[in-house]
Amino acid sequence: MPTAVASAREILTRLHEVMAARSNAQAKLNQVVGIIGEAMGSEVCSIYLLRDGLLELFATRGLKQEAVHVTRMALGEGLVGTIARDVATLNLDEATSHPDFAYKPETGEELFHSFAGVPIVRREDAVGVLCVQHTDPRRYDEVEIEALQTVAMVLSELIANAGLVDDTRNSATRAPQAQGQRLSGLKLVDGMGRGHAVYHQPRIVIEHTVAEDTEAERARVYSAFAKMRSQIDKMASQADFGGDGEHREVLDTYRMFAYDEGWGRRINEAIDSGLTAEAAIERVQQRTRMRMRQIDDPLLADRMHDLEDLANRLLRIVSGQLGTAAQAGLRQDTILIARNLGPAELLEYDRRRLKGVLLEEGSLTAHVTIVARAMGVPVLGRVKDIRQSVVDGDLLLLDVEQASVIVRPTPAIEKAFEARLAVGQKRRAAFAALRDIPPVSKDGHRITLMMNAGLRDDVAALEPTGADGIGLFRTEFQFLVSATLPQRERQQRLYKDVLDVAGDKPVIFRTVDIGGDKALPYLRNETEEEENPAMGWRALRVALERDTLMKAQARALLEAAAGRTLNVMFPMVSEPWEFDAAHAIFEAQRAWLAGRNRRLPTMVRYGAMLEVPALAEVLDILLPKLDFLSIGTNDLTQFMFAADRANPKLAERYDWLSPAILRFLARISRECDAYGVQVGVCGEMGGRTLEAMALIGLGIDRLSITPAAIGPVKAMIRSLDIAALRRTLPALLAAPPADMRLALTDWAREAGVELV
């Protein structure tokens, strides 16, 4: 090539002249491929457009002209089809080496080795593909790919103005489907809601992409940035959740992104290439979306969603198109629908009208999920095909507990939903009435019923649920919502706040369980990417290797618990020496504080989590060193069955009530009892009434469960004769029935045990 690129600006200037000409669309496209191919020194430049669901070769320089309007490919077929399907870029030094390569003999492309292609995007969908090819096998430079992506944006405007965009995939034109359609998703924030569908944000259509005056466009962007930052500062200062919490930290992180200089610099560079302010923002936003599609790390993807939200806000300001449903105002009870939401955008809605949120994406650790939980708004994520199934104004019935939403319910479905809503409210009222009544069985046996927490706001559930304390406080949540590693002082404030709210009730802090599916972008593993992260570099393994992290957390916990009892446990202990090493770090920090006359906890109680089955074989070594043991049934189950709990094919395959699990837990319970060490369960198993009954039957007297499960489990305990159960269960385990779940259910029914 004569130069890396003749510069995107030079190409755009020439394309601007083509777009302004009076020639027809085909003639313009023929000129465009010539301009791009010549500027990039590429022997082939081709444009494929989506027509009637197929990608059709519309114009080419370098391939055989007789292939134009003849060569067609389906989405996902060949390299071009893969680019359009995935809305992703390909850059190959040898096209035939790619597994999706498909040879089209009529094009004469067998002469060419290198291949680079970018999607032509409109309203987030690929409407075509722009690609270049060369005889020499070489990868195109990054600056060349950038130029192609910028040119593809301008082509989007050209083909739209020429009426060449295929609208067959536009969901807005589709007729609604039949009544009572049920869509499923991922439970993000529990609750039920009835409301009419409102789409959060219609896409802003950019009318002009090529700038007449670069400096004028730059000034428009600077002005929009100032206005956007002012809006976010005001929003963060006025957000009212009734107290501090992780949602505050979320907004602080969001505000940090708004002031990020790198983001503004990338927009400036796009303007330098010759784009208008709107097109430059959209150009950077497209690049962000493409990166999001390639990111497996959920935490990093969530950060990218924040940038997407900010880009949408900036685009609306610079274009003068407010455009969101929040600005228009909600006129009736609403279920909001969005691909994803930033935390600030959710805050703009009227909470009196907002009854729920449906997201096409979303995750448990996303910033919007944390803010929605603080607002008390139910959220269902990962709802597929929602744009094909729901139109504005449709009545929706959202039930996050059932992980579903019903679209356009029939009168009968709506009546049943209202009845279930009423029953749920009545049942919750009955459980709430048990708040001050202890979980004592019919035969007078007291069970310790504690709750799990991870956010500062979760601790507020102690009083309304009547829980005996917090049996598991997941300290990693503070790390997950932060853009950088939380400083020791910030950790200390959180732990002290939690202890203050808990008052006289105990709190068991689990040290950070990060890594695996909770990877942090600012604390990466230096080793190669793990094939099985759940069994990899995570939890205590990370903390012991990065001991400065554990030292900081140890000091924060010790100082926060000054004058009180500190209960701390270490996650994923596999061998006794790991507990010893973690214990030594805490004791060294306690000695350091004592040497400086700092106030210390009156007592420090140390525990371990049994999640790795190997630990059960060396409990006789570990138990004499422990004050308590907690069984984490979520990880334990997947490790015992070698079954990834995130795999939907395996999620329901292995039962918590299988004889293998129950026998294992019974052995642990007996051994802990022999050493006088209190044992409890702090996994989802303990939050289900039948499973909780089985655990109690095994001799486990302490459960730590979700706040919502406290009432149902307490009601079950108060209806249970524990002595009778403990006489029955050993016989069932000695000669297991074909269906242990059914056998336990039958026993409970005959004994009058209240199960939910």
Side-chain angles (χ1 to χ4, degrees):
M1 288 186 62
T3 59
V5 173
S7 91
R9 181 163 182 77
E10 179 185 334
I11 299 174
L12 292 190
T13 301
R14 295 178 65 185
L15 290 185
H16 188 40
E17 297 169 359
V18 171
M19 293 165 69
R22 294 183 177 275
S23 54
N24 61 38
Q26 183 65 62
K28 289 180 178 180
L29 290 178
N30 291 341
Q31 287 181 271
V32 165
V33 293
I35 290 170
I36 298 170
E38 179 185 337
M40 296 187 65
S42 216
E43 290 150 306
V44 174
C45 178
S46 305
I47 295 173
Y48 294 80
L49 298 183
L50 196 64
R51 306 298 296 162
D52 299 323
L54 295 175
L55 288 154
E56 179 179 317
L57 178 61
F58 250 72
T60 185
R61 157 192 155 131
L63 298 183
K64 294 180 179 178
Q65 289 300 314
E66 50 266 36
V68 173
H69 302 303
V70 172
T71 297
R72 293 182 177 88
M73 283 171 280
L75 288 173
E77 180 187 359
L79 301 180
V80 170
T82 299
I83 291 168
R85 180 196 63 197
D86 298 341
V87 196
T89 296
L90 281 181
N91 184 6
L92 308 169
D93 54 7
E94 183 56 69
T96 57
S97 66
H98 194 281
D100 292 326
F101 176 78
Y103 176 55
K104 297 292 181 180
E106 71 274 13
T107 64
E109 62 183 344
E110 65 273 10
L111 302 174
F112 308 102
H113 293 271
S114 62
F115 175 94
V118 300
I120 301 171
V121 180
R122 187 165 180 81
R123 299 180 182 175
E124 300 186 32
D125 282 330
V127 295
V129 172
L130 170 64
C131 57
V132 290
Q133 294 170 265
H134 202 273
T135 51
D136 295 334
R138 71 171 184 89
R139 286 176 64 85
Y140 285 82
D141 295 334
E142 186 62 32
V143 66
E144 296 176 90
I145 299 298
E146 286 280 333
L148 280 177
Q149 290 171 332
T150 301
V151 170
M153 169 174 277
V154 177
L155 282 176
S156 174
E157 179 186 345
L158 188 155
I159 65 175
N161 291 340
L164 296 176
V165 173
D166 185 355
D167 286 325
T168 58
R169 293 195 297 167
N170 185 349
S171 61
T173 64
R174 295 181 178 176
Q177 298 181 14
Q179 285 184 295
Q181 183 183 7
R182 182 185 295 270
L183 304 176
S184 60
L186 173 70
K187 302 177 187 178
L188 296 181
V189 180
D190 276 334
M192 297 175 69
R194 176 189 184 280
H196 294 272
V198 170
Y199 278 91
H200 162 64
Q201 181 183 336
R203 292 295 304 159
I204 292 175
V205 178
I206 298 174
E207 302 296 340
H208 302 291
T209 55
V210 181
E212 299 282 353
D213 184 340
T214 298
E215 291 309 313
E217 299 302 319
R218 200 184 319 279
R220 292 175 63 215
V221 165
Y222 286 155
S223 174
F225 260 109
K227 187 172 182 179
M228 179 193 71
R229 288 165 177 166
S230 175
Q231 286 179 356
I232 290 167
D233 288 342
K234 182 178 179 182
M235 190 179 305
S237 65
Q238 293 180 349
D240 180 17
F241 299 103
D244 288 335
E246 268 69 15
H247 41 269
R248 288 283 181 196
E249 295 167 6
V250 164
L251 290 178
D252 288 343
T253 302
Y254 184 81
R255 182 161 47 186
M256 182 194 72
F257 278 124
Y259 282 88
D260 178 51
E261 293 182 1
W263 182 43
R265 185 175 63 252
R266 288 190 293 274
I267 293 174
N268 251 322
E269 289 170 355
I271 289 175
D272 285 338
S273 72
L275 295 176
T276 60
E278 291 90 344
I281 296 166
E282 175 70 12
R283 172 73 192 88
V284 174
Q285 194 174 17
Q286 283 182 7
R287 193 183 311 165
T288 300
R289 289 192 197 108
M290 289 181 190
R291 285 187 62 197
M292 283 168 60
R293 291 186 177 98
Q294 298 167 357
I295 292 173
D296 293 326
D297 186 325
L299 270 300
L300 194 55
D302 291 339
R303 275 32 171 204
M304 301 295 276
H305 284 309
D306 285 349
L307 284 174
E308 171 93 353
D309 176 31
L310 286 165
N312 288 336
R313 181 179 295 273
L314 189 65
L315 191 54
R316 291 198 302 270
I317 292 171
V318 82
S319 66
Q321 303 176 49
L322 292 179
T324 70
Q327 272 82 45
L330 303 180
R331 293 183 292 276
Q332 57 187 334
D333 287 352
T334 294
I335 303 292
L336 190 67
I337 302 171
R339 180 183 298 277
N340 217 310
L341 281 172
E345 294 205 310
L346 184 63
L347 286 170
E348 292 179 324
Y349 284 93
D350 181 351
R351 278 184 252 179
R352 295 168 299 177
R353 294 288 194 190
L354 187 60
K355 301 302 178 184
V357 175
L358 300 176
L359 299 176
E360 294 177 80
E361 298 174 359
S363 72
L364 286 165
T365 54
H367 285 171
V368 69
T369 303
I370 294 168
V371 172
R373 187 183 296 116
M375 293 171 65
V377 176
V379 182
L380 187 67
R382 312 273 177 91
V383 185
K384 294 182 180 179
D385 301 325
I386 193 165
R387 292 179 185 272
Q388 286 75 29
S389 306
V390 180
V391 297
D392 269 309
D394 279 344
L395 179 61
L396 303 176
L397 304 179
L398 173 62
D399 188 342
V400 178
E401 185 177 342
Q402 294 191 356
S404 68
V405 60
I406 296 174
V407 184
R408 297 175 296 276
T410 63
I413 292 175
E414 190 174 357
K415 185 177 180 180
F417 180 87
E418 296 291 349
R420 193 165 70 254
L421 187 61
V423 168
Q425 290 169 341
K426 185 176 180 180
R427 182 179 291 164
R428 283 192 294 273
F431 292 147
L434 295 174
R435 182 187 68 178
D436 299 321
I437 300 174
V440 177
S441 67
K442 286 167 63 176
D443 57 332
H445 198 99
R446 175 68 156 89
I447 299 297
T448 301
L449 205 54
M450 307 177 84
M451 56 170 264
N452 298 333
L455 299 170
R456 187 186 280 108
D457 287 355
D458 292 346
V459 186
L462 269 174
E463 183 179 351
T465 61
D468 291 318
I470 298 173
L472 169 63
F473 189 89
R474 302 178 177 96
T475 59
E476 63 269 11
F477 280 15
Q478 185 182 34
F479 291 73
L480 296 177
V481 301
S482 299
T484 58
L485 188 71
Q487 295 299 309
R488 177 178 55 79
E489 294 79 8
R490 205 166 121 214
Q491 294 182 51
Q492 181 183 335
R493 282 197 303 273
L494 170 64
Y495 306 148
K496 185 178 184 301
D497 288 349
V498 170
L499 289 166
D500 287 344
V501 174
D504 295 332
K505 293 184 175 181
V507 178
I508 298 176
F509 292 96
R510 182 178 73 185
T511 58
V512 286
D513 183 358
I514 52 177
D517 61 347
K518 291 177 281 189
L520 304 180
Y522 55 82
L523 190 67
R524 308 296 291 176
N525 184 3
E526 290 88 354
T527 61
E528 293 181 5
E529 188 172 331
E530 298 175 300
E531 291 187 9
N532 194 339
M535 294 184 177
W537 193 74
R538 55 169 289 209
L540 192 58
R541 299 165 184 178
V542 174
L544 292 179
E545 182 170 311
R546 300 285 186 91
D547 62 352
T548 53
L549 184 154
M550 176 161 267
K551 288 176 182 176
Q553 185 171 37
R555 248 185 81 186
L557 283 165
L558 290 163
E559 292 186 291
R564 297 183 265 214
T565 296
L566 172 63
N567 296 284
V568 61
M569 67 178 173
F570 307 119
M572 207 176 174
V573 178
S574 304
E575 294 192 276
W577 73 263
E578 293 175 325
F579 172 85
D580 294 340
H583 179 271
I585 289 174
F586 266 76
E587 285 301 302
Q589 290 302 305
R590 180 152 67 154
W592 188 89
L593 291 170
R596 285 155 181 78
N597 296 317
R598 304 281 180 84
R599 282 190 74 207
L600 293 170
T602 54
M603 179 188 299
V604 181
R605 300 179 71 245
Y606 291 101
M609 287 197 70
L610 194 155
E611 301 161 280
V612 180
L615 190 63
E617 301 304 321
V618 287
L619 276 182
D620 59 316
I621 301 172
L622 180 63
L623 285 174
K625 307 172 185 180
L626 295 182
D627 294 299
F628 60 92
L629 182 75
S630 289
I631 303 172
T633 52
N634 296 354
D635 271 331
L636 176 65
T637 305
Q638 73 169 342
F639 293 155
M640 285 192 69
F641 286 124
D644 183 356
R645 65 186 183 186
N647 186 328
K649 292 184 177 180
L650 299 175
E652 303 297 329
R653 181 161 184 162
Y654 299 103
D655 194 346
W656 269 319
L657 295 180
S658 82
I661 293 290
L662 295 182
R663 284 180 172 184
F664 183 89
L665 295 176
R667 177 160 65 93
I668 302 303
S669 177
R670 288 193 301 269
E671 197 159 353
C672 288
D673 186 57
Y675 280 88
V677 174
Q678 187 183 45
V679 61
V681 163
C682 55
E684 290 179 40
M685 183 178 180
R688 302 184 181 190
T689 51
L690 184 64
E691 283 84 342
M693 183 191 82
L695 290 170
I696 292 169
L698 298 176
I700 294 170
D701 292 339
R702 177 167 60 87
L703 303 176
S704 187
I705 56 183
T706 61
I710 295 285
V713 172
K714 185 183 286 188
M716 180 276 295
I717 292 168
R718 292 182 56 78
S719 68
L720 177 64
D721 183 332
I722 292 178
L725 175 62
R726 288 180 177 174
R727 288 192 299 270
T728 301
L729 203 51
L732 288 175
L733 292 180
D739 189 334
M740 181 67 80
R741 178 173 292 276
L742 179 60
L744 287 171
T745 302
D746 288 344
W747 185 92
R749 186 183 300 110
E750 292 173 8
V753 179
E754 185 176 332
L755 299 178
V756 176

